[in-house]
Amino acid sequence: MGSKVLLVGMGAREHAIAWKLRQSPRVDEIFIAPGNAGTAMVGTNLPVQPKDIDGLVKAAKAHGVDFYLATMDDPQPLGLVDRLTAEGILCYGPTQAAARLESSKEWSKAFMVRHGIRTAAARAFSNYREACAYVESLNDAPCVVKGSGLAAGKGVIVCNGTRDALEALDIAMVRRDFGSAGDTVLVEQRLYGWETSCHAFCDGKTAVMMPFSSDYKRAQDGDKGLNTGGVGVYSPSKLVTADMVEQTRREVVERTMQGMIEEGAPFNGTLYHGLMVSADRTYVIEFNARFGDPETQALMMRLETDLFEVCHAAAQQRLHEIDVRWRTDAAVGVVLCSAGYPATYKLGYVIRGLDAVDPDVQVFHAGTKDDDRGVVTNGGRVLTVVATGPTVEAARAKAYDNVHRIEFTDAYYRKDIALV
Ligand code: AMP
Ligand code: GLY
């Protein structure tokens, strides 16, 4: 008998994971809480929200779930893995203690320092006046002000000097625009370089790195406009060299795995290292204790091995037994958004052309739902269209060719994904 798997989330990331799991002969049923119109095509949506831990545990038991695969950030810091494990459900995902790598930037910064993992120097403050005094002492040096807690990707302000930094502290600690994520802030040295994402499957002792990928965080072409959750992706990253991969393995990934063992919180699940490459050295900008969105949409198209086999083995500390293979083809994903995202936008427009896409191109749903008119828009990020090809350029051309076949009122997307 096959497995009954639970996913929590409602993004194109969850649709991509569910799509990949669907191809496994070892998976019987996939439940997605709460899911979207795309996940409903490959599994069963459950009306439970990601932070409703009691509701998720209850639903998992009611549906006979035997495997939880963590994809999004919300449930783990609230202890979902700990709770499901106590119920005898196997989990691929970090415990509440291990999820601190993402849920507390203050803790993860101190962790990196303790274990010699290269990162920007930083100081943590919970007192506004002390933070201001520190910023004044930096002599106008560029810095970054970050809320320590989870802030849905919005709690970071990059500053050019003292004036910017004082304003950022005011936003985070006085106006409290990041909510409780700003109870403690980090003031961090600003690094210059280019960014790339390195995901790894982890089983508590072994880590298997995925190919590097690059996401596009700004809303508009040329990296202009507001920061978003991510509006485009490609993999493999063009500038990453074999040396950089090796350096990252030795000096970041392995030290992190070993460090978490020493701290008594071995890391199981997907660890996503947000890296900045500066003068050929990789620095950790942040850890995410989950899959990235939209990186996952590209990675799932490139993964050759059965995803269930990989994650199930990792959950049982058997990752070393699995040969994780990737296609050499590149993948490019373009996110179709509702115009106005990430600020204000309208919902409820009918999406047309979904069946006009090529059979080897995938359209992963995020903000969509079914109503009596068909599939309609229901969020800021609506769809990720992912194509593969022998080169990034070929995959890019194919992705945009297919994006042009999909229509809805207010559709907006960047035209320069995988170009720069
Ligand atoms: P984070 O949420 O920590 O990934 O930060 C969001 C974005 O802010 C990153 O993707 C970077 O573009 C930028 N950022 C964060 N920390 C730094 C830093 N120390 N130096 C320069 N840019 C940074
Ligand atoms: N792609 C950015 C994130 O998932 O946090």
Side-chain angles (χ1 to χ4, degrees):
M1 220 181 65
S3 197
K4 293 189 196 325
V5 184
L6 174 68
L7 304 176
V8 177
M10 58 300 228
R13 166 183 51 202
E14 282 70 32
H15 186 189
I17 298 267
W19 168 81
K20 186 68 188 164
L21 287 174
R22 189 75 281 166
Q23 296 162 32
S24 171
R26 294 184 54 193
V27 173
D28 256 6
E29 282 189 71
I30 306 169
F31 298 97
I32 309 95
N36 55 41
T39 59
M41 297 189 288
V42 283
T44 305
N45 289 347
L46 302 176
V48 189
Q49 291 305 309
K51 291 187 175 172
D52 178 5
I53 303 302
D54 287 338
L56 290 169
V57 172
K58 206 168 131 199
K61 285 166 65 181
H63 292 279
V65 164
D66 53 46
F67 188 57
Y68 168 58
L69 196 164
T71 56
M72 79 172 310
D73 48 350
D74 280 341
Q76 285 68 241
L78 298 172
L80 181 60
V81 165
D82 311 65
R83 290 277 304 277
L84 291 175
T85 305
E87 296 288 345
I89 296 173
L90 188 65
C91 295
Y92 173 73
T95 59
Q96 189 169 37
R100 269 187 303 180
L101 273 183
E102 173 169 8
S103 61
S104 168
K105 287 187 193 285
E106 182 188 16
W107 188 85
S108 71
K109 185 62 78 172
F111 170 86
M112 286 187 262
V113 172
R114 281 197 294 279
H115 297 281
I117 297 163
R118 220 169 12 251
T119 185
R123 292 264 308 266
F125 298 93
S126 42
N127 179 294
Y128 172 67
R129 280 173 204 288
E130 286 172 20
C132 292
Y134 175 69
V135 159
E136 302 268 12
S137 76
L138 291 177
N139 288 323
D140 219 25
C143 66
V144 180
V145 172
K146 298 185 179 184
S148 174
L150 286 177
K154 296 197 192 109
V156 176
I157 303 175
V158 178
C159 309
N160 280 320
T162 310
R163 251 188 64 186
D164 279 3
L166 289 175
E167 196 189 327
L169 290 175
D170 186 63
I171 290 170
M173 303 183 89
V174 181
R175 282 167 43 188
R176 300 187 53 81
D177 281 7
F178 311 156
S180 61
D183 286 350
T184 300
V185 299
L186 294 187
V187 180
E188 187 168 303
Q189 165 201 13
R190 179 169 173 188
L191 299 172
Y192 292 89
W194 50 277
E195 290 177 57
T196 180
S197 307
C198 166
H199 288 65
F201 294 110
C202 306
D203 75 355
K205 42 185 212 287
T206 306
V208 174
M209 285 157 77
M210 307 188 205
F212 283 50
S213 51
S214 296
D215 77 334
Y216 290 74
K217 291 202 171 79
R218 298 293 197 96
Q220 289 163 25
D221 287 1
D223 280 334
K224 301 212 170 63
L226 296 173
N227 251 325
T228 69
V231 290
V233 61
Y234 75 93
S235 173
S237 271
K238 286 183 204 169
L239 300 167
V240 173
T241 62
D243 267 2
M244 254 172 234
V245 174
E246 255 330 287
Q247 184 198 111
T248 306
R249 182 194 315 283
R250 277 195 323 271
E251 298 176 7
V252 177
V253 178
E254 287 176 3
R255 283 183 196 172
T256 305
M257 293 303 289
Q258 187 54 35
M260 291 301 278
I261 292 172
E262 288 167 19
E263 308 246 344
F267 190 90
N268 185 289
T270 295
L271 187 57
Y272 154 3
H273 310 74
L275 302 174
M276 172 90 78
V277 183
S278 187
D280 280 347
R281 315 198 82 188
T282 48
Y283 291 77
V284 177
I285 292 280
E286 63 167 349
F287 286 115
N288 292 305
R290 56 173 172 86
F291 285 90
D293 187 339
E295 289 93 328
T296 302
Q297 292 88 298
L299 290 169
M300 289 304 113
M301 294 284 277
R302 298 191 65 211
L303 179 62
E304 207 168 270
T305 312
D306 181 333
L307 176 69
F308 179 82
E309 293 275 357
V310 178
C311 298
H312 197 258
Q316 298 175 316
Q317 285 82 50
R318 295 190 292 105
L319 194 50
H320 59 278
E321 293 174 11
I322 307 288
D323 176 23
V324 183
R325 291 182 316 278
W326 300 87
R327 301 197 171 94
T328 51
D329 270 5
V332 172
V334 178
V335 178
L336 275 87
C337 306
S338 302
Y341 169 78
T344 51
Y345 46 84
K346 294 193 187 136
L347 305 176
Y349 295 117
V350 175
I351 304 173
R352 296 203 171 79
L354 288 171
D355 40 15
V357 300
D358 292 330
D360 56 346
V361 168
Q362 292 304 323
V363 180
F364 296 121
H365 293 218
T368 66
K369 69 172 186 186
D370 288 304
D371 76 8
D372 49 14
R373 297 168 296 161
V375 179
V376 302
T377 63
N378 192 39
R381 292 193 290 184
V382 179
L383 304 164
T384 309
V385 176
V386 192
T388 55
T391 60
V392 169
E393 289 67 30
R396 170 175 202 278
K398 192 166 172 110
Y400 276 106
D401 177 35
N402 281 272
V403 162
H404 297 148
R405 303 178 199 177
I406 300 173
E407 286 174 7
F408 55 88
T409 303
D410 279 356
Y412 170 82
Y413 55 91
R414 269 180 71 159
K415 315 285 184 295
D416 63 349
I417 301 307
L419 197 60
V420 282

